[in-house]
Amino acid sequence: MSVPPRAIQLNEANAFLKKHPEVLYVDLLIADMNGVVRGKRIERTALHKVYEKGINLPASLFALDINGSTVESTGLGLDIGDADRICYPIPGTLSVEPWQKRPTAQLLMTMHEIEGQPFFADPREVLRQVVSKFDELGLTICAAFELEFYLIDQDNVNGRPQSPRSPISGKRPQSTQVYLIDDLDEYVDCLQDILEGAKEQGIPADAIVKESAPAQFEVNLHHVSDPIKACDYAVLLKRLVKNIAYDHEMDTTFMAKPYPGQAGNGLHVHISVLDKKGNNIFASDDPETNEALRHAIGGVLDTLSEQMAFLCPNVNSYRRFGAQFYVPNSPTWGIDNRTVAVRVPTGSADSVRIEHRVAGADANPYLLMASVLAGIHHGLTNKIEPGPAMEGNAYEQSEPSLPTNLRDALRVLDDSEVMAKYIDPMYIDVFVACKESELAEFENSISDLEYNWYLHTV
């Protein structure tokens, strides 16, 4: 007789607590619409109850704006009495938090209706619904993220970030030299603790590289054959990076564009698709002749404008774009070409994959993945051709055509018939309502620049 799933999870809890008798507390985590981790902290003695009965959190957790305020126009707040839903543990996510002075563990959760079915507004459930369409075709998604971030000083200058002083030289970095090993050495203790902390938490981070701005770095996650788990890893990695930096008396930012004139932070995702036998359907010695690959790319490009609000969900997201920063602003693709939106990296025939290069590090990984997979499925099932691959500088060959601001991106998403086939229209309504609320607040504010320009001149 098979062991009931809840009993298996209890075995997981028992084994963990036995292995870590020092753990005093457990953080119960759930990522909201913005990818911000929220939840509760419990004592270790309450962990079994969490596995047996879950915990209650309000449905409005998924109607929070970037400041943590409930957006009532979503219908998930006062309209339903700010009612609770129940959150259950995600197996395999129980791990220690290596940065804590008081031994603490963490556990990812996912929200369900009281009756048991997954809650529609949990971004993890949004992604699961898209993945299920590949399951119906007997296809498995392999995925991995590349996550960019800046180390910044804990003290800002008039509210603006600045690079932290190097623990080695005591100087603030000025270098924009990508892949420079010396810049890794300047922050070696912090960066190495990130990799070691990831290993301790079971996050498959296998490399850190210096990016093309002062104190900007990228962490590469190894691919896994579960796109939902790949997103879990990305969410946990961001939390790890932030907290390890605090331990080293630094701060971090995943803001899409923290510095004018410097590169923004991106969140690239690599995706391949496996058939029932585990073969990569994109595999080819000549990727341009592979029909499955072409159709997948065609679908992504066909829906790219409709994906933009999920890929670039904040006002600041659109400041990232520009040819000098390798951020594509039109639906283009190419072989081993970093000036396009969808790059096909070269290498062995078996490793051919899609690299989606548009999203910022401020995107929710679950919604980003759901958007890209929706495009791939749309292309595969409708045999959409992508047009010729771009060679050379795509910025000089294609006019910018993707939405360049959040309001336009939200309108395109709201009107999209294709995205509504993959992502519950009720969820799109919730997402759009939250982001339109943020946008209205932003547009009602008056910037310093406006005062400088207009106060005494008009």
Side-chain angles (χ1 to χ4, degrees):
M1 185 176 69
S2 62
V3 180
R6 196 59 52 85
I8 293 174
Q9 292 188 26
L10 281 172
N11 289 342
E12 177 180 279
N14 289 331
F16 180 86
L17 294 175
K18 183 177 180 180
K19 182 179 179 180
H20 297 282
E22 78 284 0
V23 165
L24 301 175
Y25 307 100
V26 181
D27 289 338
L28 308 177
L29 311 174
I30 192 163
D32 71 7
M33 175 182 291
N34 291 294
V36 175
V37 174
R38 304 184 186 275
K40 295 181 178 181
R41 177 168 293 173
I42 61 170
E43 294 186 344
R44 67 177 282 142
T45 54
L47 184 61
H48 288 102
K49 183 178 178 182
V50 171
Y51 274 92
E52 290 173 344
K53 298 182 179 180
I55 60 166
N56 288 339
L57 287 171
S60 59
L61 185 147
F62 294 115
L64 300 179
D65 65 16
I66 196 65
N67 294 310
S69 300
T70 301
V71 177
E72 293 297 341
S73 57
T74 61
L76 296 180
L78 296 178
D79 284 354
I80 59 171
D82 204 20
D84 281 341
R85 297 297 186 272
I86 190 164
C87 301
Y88 292 114
I90 297 170
T93 63
L94 181 59
S95 64
V96 296
E97 296 178 346
W99 60 84
Q100 296 282 8
K101 293 180 180 178
R102 295 178 177 83
T104 305
Q106 66 181 25
L107 177 62
L108 271 182
M109 313 289 286
T110 186
M111 187 174 284
H112 293 252
E113 298 283 3
I114 299 300
E115 296 79 12
Q117 66 268 35
F119 184 55
F120 83 98
D122 186 336
R124 204 173 187 274
E125 170 61 13
V126 172
L127 173 56
R128 192 190 68 80
Q129 291 286 347
V130 179
V131 172
S132 69
K133 294 185 180 296
F134 287 87
D135 295 339
E136 293 168 3
L137 299 177
L139 299 175
T140 300
I141 304 298
C142 259
F145 286 102
E146 297 172 348
L147 180 64
E148 294 174 345
F149 66 95
Y150 278 91
L151 290 173
I152 58 176
D153 203 294
Q154 290 185 331
D155 295 322
N156 57 45
V157 180
N158 298 322
R160 296 176 181 270
Q162 61 178 338
S163 298
R165 294 189 182 278
S166 161
I168 304 298
S169 67
K171 300 177 180 178
R172 299 193 192 279
Q174 303 295 322
S175 172
T176 59
Q177 298 185 48
V178 67
Y179 301 123
L180 189 66
I181 293 295
D182 288 349
D183 280 10
L184 292 177
D185 290 340
E186 294 285 351
Y187 301 99
V188 62
D189 289 340
C190 177
L191 298 176
Q192 194 61 39
D193 281 353
I194 289 171
L195 287 179
E196 291 177 2
K199 183 177 181 181
E200 191 171 356
Q201 292 194 316
I203 300 171
D206 55 13
I208 293 182
V209 298
K210 169 66 174 63
E211 272 298 333
S212 54
Q216 187 190 32
F217 302 93
E218 176 185 274
V219 182
N220 298 329
L221 289 165
H222 195 65
H223 70 272
V224 292
S225 57
D226 181 344
I228 302 177
K229 187 173 287 293
C231 294
D232 292 342
Y233 288 143
V235 166
L236 294 176
L237 177 63
K238 288 180 76 170
R239 186 166 189 260
L240 173 73
V241 169
K242 290 178 180 182
N243 283 285
I244 293 295
Y246 292 150
D247 269 1
H248 289 267
E249 299 183 342
M250 290 182 284
D251 206 340
T252 54
T253 183
F254 296 88
M255 185 177 178
K257 186 75 168 182
Y259 297 109
Q262 296 287 0
N265 288 319
L267 181 59
H268 297 174
V269 59
H270 292 249
I271 295 174
S272 54
V273 180
L274 309 182
D275 63 19
K276 293 178 180 179
K277 296 181 180 179
N279 300 313
N280 178 10
I281 68 171
F282 296 159
S284 178
D285 289 319
D286 182 6
E288 290 188 68
T289 65
N290 182 300
E291 284 192 357
L293 177 63
R294 289 203 322 271
H295 293 158
I297 293 171
V300 171
L301 299 184
D302 188 55
T303 57
L304 192 51
S305 290
E306 297 156 67
Q307 300 173 16
M308 283 295 285
F310 288 138
L311 309 180
C312 302
N314 301 305
V315 173
N316 177 260
S317 304
Y318 297 85
R319 301 188 187 279
R320 214 179 113 247
F321 289 80
Q324 70 272 35
F325 299 119
Y326 290 93
V327 184
N329 49 15
S330 58
T332 53
W333 77 286
I335 307 296
D336 200 20
N337 187 336
R338 286 185 169 86
T339 68
V340 296
V342 175
R343 172 178 174 251
V344 178
T346 55
S348 67
D350 289 340
S351 65
V352 174
R353 61 194 183 276
I354 286 173
E355 179 190 3
H356 196 288
R357 298 175 53 80
V358 179
D362 57 337
N364 181 313
Y366 302 105
L367 299 180
L368 160 59
M369 184 73 76
S371 302
V372 177
L373 293 183
I376 290 175
H377 189 277
H378 171 63
L380 290 173
T381 54
N382 292 283
K383 301 187 184 305
I384 296 175
E385 289 290 343
M390 286 278 184
E391 296 183 6
N393 189 344
Y395 299 107
E396 295 179 349
Q397 302 174 54
S398 60
E399 290 293 325
S401 59
L402 299 176
T404 58
N405 60 79
L406 181 57
R407 185 170 296 284
D408 286 346
L410 291 172
R411 286 174 180 151
V412 175
L413 171 62
D414 208 21
D415 292 339
S416 173
E417 295 180 4
V418 174
M419 294 301 287
K421 294 178 181 178
Y422 292 92
I423 295 176
D424 189 336
M426 288 197 306
Y427 183 77
I428 292 177
D429 288 345
V430 169
F431 180 88
V432 171
C434 277
K435 290 302 168 181
E436 284 184 341
S437 175
E438 290 179 13
L439 189 56
E441 185 173 349
F442 177 84
E443 291 177 342
N444 284 334
S445 67
I446 301 175
S447 68
D448 290 343
L449 187 60
E450 289 173 87
Y451 285 119
N452 291 337
W453 280 8
Y454 306 124
L455 188 62
H456 299 295
T457 57
V458 295

